[in-house]
Amino acid sequence: TSILQRNDTGVGGNEMSELNVEKKHSILSPSSSSRWLKCPGSVRLTKDMENPTSSYAEIGTEAHELCEWKLKKHLGLLNDETDIRQTLKNYTEEMGENTEDYKNIVISKYEDAKTKCENPHIFIEEHLPLTDYIDEEDAGGTADAMIISDDILEICDYKNGSGVIVNADHNTQLMIYALGALSLYGDIYDVKEVRLTIIQPNVKNVSTFSISRDELEKWGNEVLKPQAKKALSGSNEFNPSETACRWCLVKATCRYRRDALITDDFGKPIDLLNDDEVLELFDKADEISKYCNEIKEYCLKEALNGKVWKNHKIVEGRSNRKYTDEVAVANVVKQAGFDPYDIVLKNITSMQKLLGKKKFEEMLTPYLMKPQGNPTLVTHDDARPEKSIAEFDFANNKK
C-alpha cells in the first residue's frame, strides 16, 4: 500500500501516514456547487444562515465516518484498534452492508490501478485546497477517496441518501474535488484522464464519468472561476431551477423562484390555454406543487416559533383514535372469543431490514417481481425508453 505524503520538503512515496489538515468553513463549498454555480445570487441571500441539522444528516455523517474507518483499517493505516461501530449512535446492519460495498468498490479500483501503474497512491478523506479557482482564503473540500496513478486520477464519493439518485456525469462537486487534486498533485503525475465515481449503495447506484484533464481544467477556468467570482461578489444573478433550489435555505421565501414559477400570466383574462401554455404549466406542475408545500411548511414553522400571520391561526389538525394499551385490548378481545390480530406479511423494505440486504436477495429474489408502472408523460430528455399506447393496453388487459 502506498500513501503519498506531503511535507515542507517536498513529496515522498511508499509511506503510510495520515495528513491532518484543519478543515475550515468555506462559503462556496463543493457540496453545494450545484446551487451557487447556477444561481450565484443565492450566496448573498444565504451566506449568514446556518444549515439546519437533521437525523438524515447525522446518519450520513456517521456512514462517512464508517467508510473512512473501513478503508483505513483495510489498508493498515490505523493505530487505534477501537471498533468505530461501537461508537456510532445510528449504526445498523444496513449501514454496515452499504459501507462495506463502498469499501470493496474503492479497494477494487485501487487494486486495478496497481496492475496498470507501478506505484499508485490512494488518499482517504483528503482535504483539497481550491484557491486556484475560488478566490476565498478557506476555499476547499474533502474527497472521500482518491486514487492517482500514472495518467488517471479517480475521485470516489459515497452518497448515503436514497431519495435522489446522484449521477456522476459532469457532477460539479466531484469536478471541483478533481481540480483541487490536480492543483496539489498534477505536477507529480502526468494525469491525462479524470474519472468521477458516485457510490450510492442504498439505491444500488454506481455511476462513473470520465473527462479529460484538459477539458476539466478548461471548465475550471471558464465556468468555475467566473461563477465563483460572481457568487463571492454579492451578485444579483439568480437562476432558479429544481437542481439549484432543492437544498437552498431560502427556497420558500425567494422572490426570484416565485417569479420563475408563478408569472403574471396567471392574472391575464383568457378563455382557453393553447397547447404551448398547457405544456408550460405541465412541465412546472411538480415544481409548483413542491414549492407550495414548502411555503406551507415554512409558514407553519414560523408560526410555531411565535410569528403571527395576518388573518391566520394555529389549530389542532385531524387525528385518529388509538389504543392506550394494546396488550390490554388484545386480552379483552381474546376473552370475548375473537382473534385481535391481523397476520400481514412485512413489506419489501421492512423485510430487507429484517434479513439484511444480501440475505434478502439470496433468499427472496425468486419471489420478487416488478409490475409495469402506470403511464407517465415526461420530456424527451428523460432517460427512460418511450412506450407505445398499445404496450400499456396489452399490460392492462393481462391484469
Side-chain angles (χ1 to χ4, degrees), residues 214-246:
D214 289 344
E215 187 179 351
L216 178 65
E217 291 181 332
K218 180 181 179 182
W219 175 84
N221 287 309
E222 296 183 1
V223 178
L224 177 59
K225 265 188 180 180
Q227 289 300 95
K229 186 175 181 180
K230 283 182 187 177
L232 290 171
S233 68
S235 169
N236 282 320
E237 180 182 323
F238 295 90
N239 297 298
S241 68
E242 183 179 0
T243 303
C245 298
R246 178 177 290 141

PDB file of all heavy atoms in Angstrom, residues 214-246:
ATOM      1  N   ASP A 214      -7.597  18.212 -19.771  1.00  0.00           N
ATOM      2  CA  ASP A 214      -7.685  19.498 -20.473  1.00  0.00           C
ATOM      3  C   ASP A 214      -9.103  20.067 -20.417  1.00  0.00           C
ATOM      4  O   ASP A 214      -9.297  21.262 -20.160  1.00  0.00           O
ATOM      5  CB  ASP A 214      -7.253  19.342 -21.936  1.00  0.00           C
ATOM      6  CG  ASP A 214      -5.754  19.103 -22.077  1.00  0.00           C
ATOM      7  OD1 ASP A 214      -5.026  19.364 -21.095  1.00  0.00           O
ATOM      8  OD2 ASP A 214      -5.327  18.646 -23.162  1.00  0.00           O
ATOM      9  N   GLU A 215     -10.092  19.194 -20.645  1.00  0.00           N
ATOM     10  CA  GLU A 215     -11.485  19.647 -20.640  1.00  0.00           C
ATOM     11  C   GLU A 215     -11.907  20.085 -19.235  1.00  0.00           C
ATOM     12  O   GLU A 215     -12.618  21.086 -19.067  1.00  0.00           O
ATOM     13  CB  GLU A 215     -12.401  18.529 -21.130  1.00  0.00           C
ATOM     14  CG  GLU A 215     -13.849  18.954 -21.330  1.00  0.00           C
ATOM     15  CD  GLU A 215     -14.731  17.828 -21.836  1.00  0.00           C
ATOM     16  OE1 GLU A 215     -14.193  16.762 -22.200  1.00  0.00           O
ATOM     17  OE2 GLU A 215     -15.963  18.022 -21.857  1.00  0.00           O
ATOM     18  N   LEU A 216     -11.454  19.336 -18.231  1.00  0.00           N
ATOM     19  CA  LEU A 216     -11.799  19.685 -16.853  1.00  0.00           C
ATOM     20  C   LEU A 216     -11.185  21.024 -16.462  1.00  0.00           C
ATOM     21  O   LEU A 216     -11.875  21.883 -15.870  1.00  0.00           O
ATOM     22  CB  LEU A 216     -11.310  18.591 -15.897  1.00  0.00           C
ATOM     23  CG  LEU A 216     -11.558  18.862 -14.409  1.00  0.00           C
ATOM     24  CD1 LEU A 216     -13.051  18.890 -14.101  1.00  0.00           C
ATOM     25  CD2 LEU A 216     -10.846  17.812 -13.549  1.00  0.00           C
ATOM     26  N   GLU A 217      -9.920  21.231 -16.771  1.00  0.00           N
ATOM     27  CA  GLU A 217      -9.265  22.489 -16.410  1.00  0.00           C
ATOM     28  C   GLU A 217      -9.842  23.658 -17.204  1.00  0.00           C
ATOM     29  O   GLU A 217      -9.922  24.785 -16.685  1.00  0.00           O
ATOM     30  CB  GLU A 217      -7.760  22.367 -16.613  1.00  0.00           C
ATOM     31  CG  GLU A 217      -7.114  21.424 -15.605  1.00  0.00           C
ATOM     32  CD  GLU A 217      -5.615  21.288 -15.753  1.00  0.00           C
ATOM     33  OE1 GLU A 217      -5.111  21.468 -16.885  1.00  0.00           O
ATOM     34  OE2 GLU A 217      -4.949  20.987 -14.747  1.00  0.00           O
ATOM     35  N   LYS A 218     -10.286  23.397 -18.432  1.00  0.00           N
ATOM     36  CA  LYS A 218     -10.965  24.440 -19.206  1.00  0.00           C
ATOM     37  C   LYS A 218     -12.261  24.836 -18.505  1.00  0.00           C
ATOM     38  O   LYS A 218     -12.573  26.029 -18.380  1.00  0.00           O
ATOM     39  CB  LYS A 218     -11.250  23.931 -20.619  1.00  0.00           C
ATOM     40  CG  LYS A 218     -11.955  24.959 -21.504  1.00  0.00           C
ATOM     41  CD  LYS A 218     -12.229  24.385 -22.889  1.00  0.00           C
ATOM     42  CE  LYS A 218     -12.952  25.422 -23.750  1.00  0.00           C
ATOM     43  NZ  LYS A 218     -13.288  24.898 -25.101  1.00  0.00           N
ATOM     44  N   TRP A 219     -13.026  23.840 -18.036  1.00  0.00           N
ATOM     45  CA  TRP A 219     -14.258  24.131 -17.286  1.00  0.00           C
ATOM     46  C   TRP A 219     -13.937  24.909 -16.019  1.00  0.00           C
ATOM     47  O   TRP A 219     -14.649  25.863 -15.661  1.00  0.00           O
ATOM     48  CB  TRP A 219     -14.957  22.815 -16.926  1.00  0.00           C
ATOM     49  CG  TRP A 219     -16.165  22.993 -16.065  1.00  0.00           C
ATOM     50  CD1 TRP A 219     -17.443  23.296 -16.465  1.00  0.00           C
ATOM     51  CD2 TRP A 219     -16.235  22.883 -14.629  1.00  0.00           C
ATOM     52  NE1 TRP A 219     -18.286  23.384 -15.382  1.00  0.00           N
ATOM     53  CE2 TRP A 219     -17.582  23.133 -14.244  1.00  0.00           C
ATOM     54  CE3 TRP A 219     -15.294  22.601 -13.641  1.00  0.00           C
ATOM     55  CZ2 TRP A 219     -17.995  23.113 -12.903  1.00  0.00           C
ATOM     56  CZ3 TRP A 219     -15.707  22.569 -12.306  1.00  0.00           C
ATOM     57  CH2 TRP A 219     -17.044  22.831 -11.952  1.00  0.00           C
ATOM     58  N   GLY A 220     -12.865  24.551 -15.349  1.00  0.00           N
ATOM     59  CA  GLY A 220     -12.473  25.254 -14.132  1.00  0.00           C
ATOM     60  C   GLY A 220     -12.187  26.719 -14.375  1.00  0.00           C
ATOM     61  O   GLY A 220     -12.583  27.588 -13.584  1.00  0.00           O
ATOM     62  N   ASN A 221     -11.521  27.011 -15.480  1.00  0.00           N
ATOM     63  CA  ASN A 221     -11.142  28.391 -15.789  1.00  0.00           C
ATOM     64  C   ASN A 221     -12.280  29.193 -16.419  1.00  0.00           C
ATOM     65  O   ASN A 221     -12.413  30.389 -16.152  1.00  0.00           O
ATOM     66  CB  ASN A 221      -9.926  28.406 -16.730  1.00  0.00           C
ATOM     67  CG  ASN A 221      -8.641  28.007 -16.026  1.00  0.00           C
ATOM     68  OD1 ASN A 221      -8.307  28.555 -14.981  1.00  0.00           O
ATOM     69  ND2 ASN A 221      -7.934  27.037 -16.584  1.00  0.00           N
ATOM     70  N   GLU A 222     -13.105  28.534 -17.232  1.00  0.00           N
ATOM     71  CA  GLU A 222     -14.131  29.266 -17.984  1.00  0.00           C
ATOM     72  C   GLU A 222     -15.493  29.272 -17.306  1.00  0.00           C
ATOM     73  O   GLU A 222     -16.335  30.127 -17.603  1.00  0.00           O
ATOM     74  CB  GLU A 222     -14.263  28.669 -19.393  1.00  0.00           C
ATOM     75  CG  GLU A 222     -13.001  28.836 -20.229  1.00  0.00           C
ATOM     76  CD  GLU A 222     -13.168  28.301 -21.646  1.00  0.00           C
ATOM     77  OE1 GLU A 222     -14.286  27.813 -21.977  1.00  0.00           O
ATOM     78  OE2 GLU A 222     -12.192  28.378 -22.411  1.00  0.00           O
ATOM     79  N   VAL A 223     -15.744  28.332 -16.390  1.00  0.00           N
ATOM     80  CA  VAL A 223     -17.042  28.267 -15.712  1.00  0.00           C
ATOM     81  C   VAL A 223     -16.891  28.461 -14.208  1.00  0.00           C
ATOM     82  O   VAL A 223     -17.492  29.363 -13.620  1.00  0.00           O
ATOM     83  CB  VAL A 223     -17.758  26.923 -16.004  1.00  0.00           C
ATOM     84  CG1 VAL A 223     -19.082  26.858 -15.239  1.00  0.00           C
ATOM     85  CG2 VAL A 223     -17.999  26.755 -17.495  1.00  0.00           C
ATOM     86  N   LEU A 224     -16.088  27.616 -13.585  1.00  0.00           N
ATOM     87  CA  LEU A 224     -15.967  27.659 -12.127  1.00  0.00           C
ATOM     88  C   LEU A 224     -15.427  28.997 -11.632  1.00  0.00           C
ATOM     89  O   LEU A 224     -16.022  29.620 -10.735  1.00  0.00           O
ATOM     90  CB  LEU A 224     -15.069  26.508 -11.656  1.00  0.00           C
ATOM     91  CG  LEU A 224     -14.777  26.452 -10.153  1.00  0.00           C
ATOM     92  CD1 LEU A 224     -16.068  26.332  -9.349  1.00  0.00           C
ATOM     93  CD2 LEU A 224     -13.836  25.293  -9.840  1.00  0.00           C
ATOM     94  N   LYS A 225     -14.321  29.449 -12.199  1.00  0.00           N
ATOM     95  CA  LYS A 225     -13.706  30.707 -11.727  1.00  0.00           C
ATOM     96  C   LYS A 225     -14.656  31.897 -11.826  1.00  0.00           C
ATOM     97  O   LYS A 225     -14.879  32.602 -10.837  1.00  0.00           O
ATOM     98  CB  LYS A 225     -12.424  30.985 -12.517  1.00  0.00           C
ATOM     99  CG  LYS A 225     -11.151  30.505 -11.852  1.00  0.00           C
ATOM    100  CD  LYS A 225      -9.936  31.015 -12.623  1.00  0.00           C
ATOM    101  CE  LYS A 225      -8.652  30.540 -11.974  1.00  0.00           C
ATOM    102  NZ  LYS A 225      -7.455  31.018 -12.706  1.00  0.00           N
ATOM    103  N   PRO A 226     -15.231  32.157 -13.011  1.00  0.00           N
ATOM    104  CA  PRO A 226     -16.106  33.341 -13.111  1.00  0.00           C
ATOM    105  C   PRO A 226     -17.378  33.234 -12.269  1.00  0.00           C
ATOM    106  O   PRO A 226     -17.818  34.225 -11.689  1.00  0.00           O
ATOM    107  CB  PRO A 226     -16.423  33.429 -14.608  1.00  0.00           C
ATOM    108  CG  PRO A 226     -16.086  32.099 -15.180  1.00  0.00           C
ATOM    109  CD  PRO A 226     -15.002  31.548 -14.342  1.00  0.00           C
ATOM    110  N   GLN A 227     -17.961  32.037 -12.177  1.00  0.00           N
ATOM    111  CA  GLN A 227     -19.178  31.902 -11.374  1.00  0.00           C
ATOM    112  C   GLN A 227     -18.869  32.045  -9.892  1.00  0.00           C
ATOM    113  O   GLN A 227     -19.658  32.624  -9.131  1.00  0.00           O
ATOM    114  CB  GLN A 227     -19.849  30.556 -11.643  1.00  0.00           C
ATOM    115  CG  GLN A 227     -20.505  30.436 -13.022  1.00  0.00           C
ATOM    116  CD  GLN A 227     -21.592  31.474 -13.236  1.00  0.00           C
ATOM    117  OE1 GLN A 227     -21.335  32.537 -13.814  1.00  0.00           O
ATOM    118  NE2 GLN A 227     -22.795  31.178 -12.778  1.00  0.00           N
ATOM    119  N   ALA A 228     -17.728  31.531  -9.457  1.00  0.00           N
ATOM    120  CA  ALA A 228     -17.327  31.692  -8.058  1.00  0.00           C
ATOM    121  C   ALA A 228     -17.073  33.162  -7.753  1.00  0.00           C
ATOM    122  O   ALA A 228     -17.442  33.659  -6.673  1.00  0.00           O
ATOM    123  CB  ALA A 228     -16.076  30.861  -7.776  1.00  0.00           C
ATOM    124  N   LYS A 229     -16.480  33.858  -8.697  1.00  0.00           N
ATOM    125  CA  LYS A 229     -16.216  35.295  -8.515  1.00  0.00           C
ATOM    126  C   LYS A 229     -17.525  36.060  -8.380  1.00  0.00           C
ATOM    127  O   LYS A 229     -17.670  36.944  -7.517  1.00  0.00           O
ATOM    128  CB  LYS A 229     -15.400  35.828  -9.694  1.00  0.00           C
ATOM    129  CG  LYS A 229     -14.957  37.272  -9.532  1.00  0.00           C
ATOM    130  CD  LYS A 229     -14.054  37.696 -10.686  1.00  0.00           C
ATOM    131  CE  LYS A 229     -13.591  39.134 -10.503  1.00  0.00           C
ATOM    132  NZ  LYS A 229     -12.708  39.559 -11.623  1.00  0.00           N
ATOM    133  N   LYS A 230     -18.504  35.717  -9.225  1.00  0.00           N
ATOM    134  CA  LYS A 230     -19.816  36.359  -9.126  1.00  0.00           C
ATOM    135  C   LYS A 230     -20.444  36.104  -7.760  1.00  0.00           C
ATOM    136  O   LYS A 230     -20.970  37.015  -7.112  1.00  0.00           O
ATOM    137  CB  LYS A 230     -20.756  35.802 -10.205  1.00  0.00           C
ATOM    138  CG  LYS A 230     -20.533  36.312 -11.605  1.00  0.00           C
ATOM    139  CD  LYS A 230     -21.584  35.693 -12.523  1.00  0.00           C
ATOM    140  CE  LYS A 230     -21.323  36.024 -13.980  1.00  0.00           C
ATOM    141  NZ  LYS A 230     -22.318  35.350 -14.845  1.00  0.00           N
ATOM    142  N   ALA A 231     -20.406  34.841  -7.343  1.00  0.00           N
ATOM    143  CA  ALA A 231     -21.050  34.464  -6.087  1.00  0.00           C
ATOM    144  C   ALA A 231     -20.436  35.194  -4.905  1.00  0.00           C
ATOM    145  O   ALA A 231     -21.146  35.668  -4.007  1.00  0.00           O
ATOM    146  CB  ALA A 231     -20.945  32.951  -5.889  1.00  0.00           C
ATOM    147  N   LEU A 232     -19.113  35.314  -4.893  1.00  0.00           N
ATOM    148  CA  LEU A 232     -18.422  35.959  -3.773  1.00  0.00           C
ATOM    149  C   LEU A 232     -18.577  37.480  -3.785  1.00  0.00           C
ATOM    150  O   LEU A 232     -18.420  38.135  -2.759  1.00  0.00           O
ATOM    151  CB  LEU A 232     -16.933  35.592  -3.792  1.00  0.00           C
ATOM    152  CG  LEU A 232     -16.607  34.135  -3.444  1.00  0.00           C
ATOM    153  CD1 LEU A 232     -15.132  33.838  -3.716  1.00  0.00           C
ATOM    154  CD2 LEU A 232     -16.946  33.831  -1.985  1.00  0.00           C
ATOM    155  N   SER A 233     -18.900  38.033  -4.943  1.00  0.00           N
ATOM    156  CA  SER A 233     -19.014  39.489  -5.059  1.00  0.00           C
ATOM    157  C   SER A 233     -20.397  40.004  -4.673  1.00  0.00           C
ATOM    158  O   SER A 233     -20.654  41.209  -4.727  1.00  0.00           O
ATOM    159  CB  SER A 233     -18.685  39.920  -6.490  1.00  0.00           C
ATOM    160  OG  SER A 233     -19.681  39.471  -7.387  1.00  0.00           O
ATOM    161  N   GLY A 234     -21.311  39.094  -4.312  1.00  0.00           N
ATOM    162  CA  GLY A 234     -22.670  39.511  -3.965  1.00  0.00           C
ATOM    163  C   GLY A 234     -23.523  39.737  -5.189  1.00  0.00           C
ATOM    164  O   GLY A 234     -24.338  40.663  -5.244  1.00  0.00           O
ATOM    165  N   SER A 235     -23.361  38.876  -6.170  1.00  0.00           N
ATOM    166  CA  SER A 235     -24.050  39.004  -7.448  1.00  0.00           C
ATOM    167  C   SER A 235     -25.574  39.040  -7.286  1.00  0.00           C
ATOM    168  O   SER A 235     -26.144  38.454  -6.377  1.00  0.00           O
ATOM    169  CB  SER A 235     -23.661  37.823  -8.344  1.00  0.00           C
ATOM    170  OG  SER A 235     -24.470  37.762  -9.486  1.00  0.00           O
ATOM    171  N   ASN A 236     -26.214  39.730  -8.211  1.00  0.00           N
ATOM    172  CA  ASN A 236     -27.677  39.761  -8.290  1.00  0.00           C
ATOM    173  C   ASN A 236     -28.186  38.846  -9.399  1.00  0.00           C
ATOM    174  O   ASN A 236     -29.317  38.996  -9.857  1.00  0.00           O
ATOM    175  CB  ASN A 236     -28.173  41.184  -8.542  1.00  0.00           C
ATOM    176  CG  ASN A 236     -28.144  42.021  -7.272  1.00  0.00           C
ATOM    177  OD1 ASN A 236     -28.479  41.528  -6.198  1.00  0.00           O
ATOM    178  ND2 ASN A 236     -27.739  43.271  -7.398  1.00  0.00           N
ATOM    179  N   GLU A 237     -27.352  37.893  -9.825  1.00  0.00           N
ATOM    180  CA  GLU A 237     -27.770  36.959 -10.868  1.00  0.00           C
ATOM    181  C   GLU A 237     -28.447  35.753 -10.203  1.00  0.00           C
ATOM    182  O   GLU A 237     -27.827  35.008  -9.458  1.00  0.00           O
ATOM    183  CB  GLU A 237     -26.565  36.483 -11.682  1.00  0.00           C
ATOM    184  CG  GLU A 237     -26.951  35.503 -12.785  1.00  0.00           C
ATOM    185  CD  GLU A 237     -25.751  34.994 -13.561  1.00  0.00           C
ATOM    186  OE1 GLU A 237     -24.798  35.776 -13.796  1.00  0.00           O
ATOM    187  OE2 GLU A 237     -25.754  33.792 -13.925  1.00  0.00           O
ATOM    188  N   PHE A 238     -29.720  35.577 -10.510  1.00  0.00           N
ATOM    189  CA  PHE A 238     -30.500  34.474  -9.940  1.00  0.00           C
ATOM    190  C   PHE A 238     -31.055  33.613 -11.063  1.00  0.00           C
ATOM    191  O   PHE A 238     -31.633  34.120 -12.020  1.00  0.00           O
ATOM    192  CB  PHE A 238     -31.650  35.008  -9.087  1.00  0.00           C
ATOM    193  CG  PHE A 238     -31.189  35.760  -7.872  1.00  0.00           C
ATOM    194  CD1 PHE A 238     -30.972  37.133  -7.933  1.00  0.00           C
ATOM    195  CD2 PHE A 238     -30.963  35.100  -6.679  1.00  0.00           C
ATOM    196  CE1 PHE A 238     -30.541  37.832  -6.818  1.00  0.00           C
ATOM    197  CE2 PHE A 238     -30.530  35.789  -5.555  1.00  0.00           C
ATOM    198  CZ  PHE A 238     -30.315  37.162  -5.620  1.00  0.00           C
ATOM    199  N   ASN A 239     -30.855  32.318 -10.948  1.00  0.00           N
ATOM    200  CA  ASN A 239     -31.351  31.373 -11.950  1.00  0.00           C
ATOM    201  C   ASN A 239     -32.025  30.197 -11.255  1.00  0.00           C
ATOM    202  O   ASN A 239     -31.448  29.116 -11.141  1.00  0.00           O
ATOM    203  CB  ASN A 239     -30.192  30.884 -12.826  1.00  0.00           C
ATOM    204  CG  ASN A 239     -29.550  32.006 -13.616  1.00  0.00           C
ATOM    205  OD1 ASN A 239     -30.190  32.642 -14.437  1.00  0.00           O
ATOM    206  ND2 ASN A 239     -28.282  32.266 -13.345  1.00  0.00           N
ATOM    207  N   PRO A 240     -33.247  30.403 -10.760  1.00  0.00           N
ATOM    208  CA  PRO A 240     -33.937  29.319 -10.045  1.00  0.00           C
ATOM    209  C   PRO A 240     -34.152  28.104 -10.941  1.00  0.00           C
ATOM    210  O   PRO A 240     -34.462  28.238 -12.130  1.00  0.00           O
ATOM    211  CB  PRO A 240     -35.282  29.946  -9.662  1.00  0.00           C
ATOM    212  CG  PRO A 240     -35.066  31.421  -9.752  1.00  0.00           C
ATOM    213  CD  PRO A 240     -34.063  31.624 -10.844  1.00  0.00           C
ATOM    214  N   SER A 241     -33.968  26.935 -10.366  1.00  0.00           N
ATOM    215  CA  SER A 241     -34.233  25.685 -11.068  1.00  0.00           C
ATOM    216  C   SER A 241     -34.429  24.606 -10.021  1.00  0.00           C
ATOM    217  O   SER A 241     -34.101  24.797  -8.841  1.00  0.00           O
ATOM    218  CB  SER A 241     -33.064  25.309 -11.987  1.00  0.00           C
ATOM    219  OG  SER A 241     -31.921  24.970 -11.217  1.00  0.00           O
ATOM    220  N   GLU A 242     -34.934  23.446 -10.423  1.00  0.00           N
ATOM    221  CA  GLU A 242     -35.149  22.369  -9.465  1.00  0.00           C
ATOM    222  C   GLU A 242     -33.846  21.977  -8.790  1.00  0.00           C
ATOM    223  O   GLU A 242     -33.786  21.775  -7.578  1.00  0.00           O
ATOM    224  CB  GLU A 242     -35.764  21.156 -10.165  1.00  0.00           C
ATOM    225  CG  GLU A 242     -36.073  20.012  -9.207  1.00  0.00           C
ATOM    226  CD  GLU A 242     -36.698  18.825  -9.896  1.00  0.00           C
ATOM    227  OE1 GLU A 242     -36.902  18.880 -11.122  1.00  0.00           O
ATOM    228  OE2 GLU A 242     -36.981  17.834  -9.206  1.00  0.00           O
ATOM    229  N   THR A 243     -32.762  21.884  -9.580  1.00  0.00           N
ATOM    230  CA  THR A 243     -31.466  21.484  -9.021  1.00  0.00           C
ATOM    231  C   THR A 243     -30.909  22.545  -8.086  1.00  0.00           C
ATOM    232  O   THR A 243     -30.446  22.244  -6.983  1.00  0.00           O
ATOM    233  CB  THR A 243     -30.459  21.224 -10.157  1.00  0.00           C
ATOM    234  OG1 THR A 243     -30.988  20.228 -11.028  1.00  0.00           O
ATOM    235  CG2 THR A 243     -29.133  20.744  -9.594  1.00  0.00           C
ATOM    236  N   ALA A 244     -30.933  23.793  -8.522  1.00  0.00           N
ATOM    237  CA  ALA A 244     -30.343  24.866  -7.727  1.00  0.00           C
ATOM    238  C   ALA A 244     -31.128  25.135  -6.451  1.00  0.00           C
ATOM    239  O   ALA A 244     -30.546  25.472  -5.412  1.00  0.00           O
ATOM    240  CB  ALA A 244     -30.258  26.143  -8.565  1.00  0.00           C
ATOM    241  N   CYS A 245     -32.434  24.976  -6.507  1.00  0.00           N
ATOM    242  CA  CYS A 245     -33.278  25.332  -5.355  1.00  0.00           C
ATOM    243  C   CYS A 245     -33.466  24.189  -4.354  1.00  0.00           C
ATOM    244  O   CYS A 245     -33.903  24.434  -3.222  1.00  0.00           O
ATOM    245  CB  CYS A 245     -34.658  25.794  -5.837  1.00  0.00           C
ATOM    246  SG  CYS A 245     -34.629  27.267  -6.884  1.00  0.00           S
ATOM    247  N   ARG A 246     -33.148  22.953  -4.749  1.00  0.00           N
ATOM    248  CA  ARG A 246     -33.509  21.790  -3.933  1.00  0.00           C
ATOM    249  C   ARG A 246     -33.038  21.929  -2.488  1.00  0.00           C
ATOM    250  O   ARG A 246     -33.779  21.664  -1.549  1.00  0.00           O
ATOM    251  CB  ARG A 246     -32.923  20.521  -4.553  1.00  0.00           C
ATOM    252  CG  ARG A 246     -33.219  19.260  -3.727  1.00  0.00           C
ATOM    253  CD  ARG A 246     -32.680  18.032  -4.419  1.00  0.00           C
ATOM    254  NE  ARG A 246     -33.436  17.736  -5.625  1.00  0.00           N
ATOM    255  CZ  ARG A 246     -32.907  17.295  -6.762  1.00  0.00           C
ATOM    256  NH1 ARG A 246     -31.600  17.129  -6.849  1.00  0.00           N
ATOM    257  NH2 ARG A 246     -33.665  17.038  -7.799  1.00  0.00           N
TER     258      ARG A 246
END
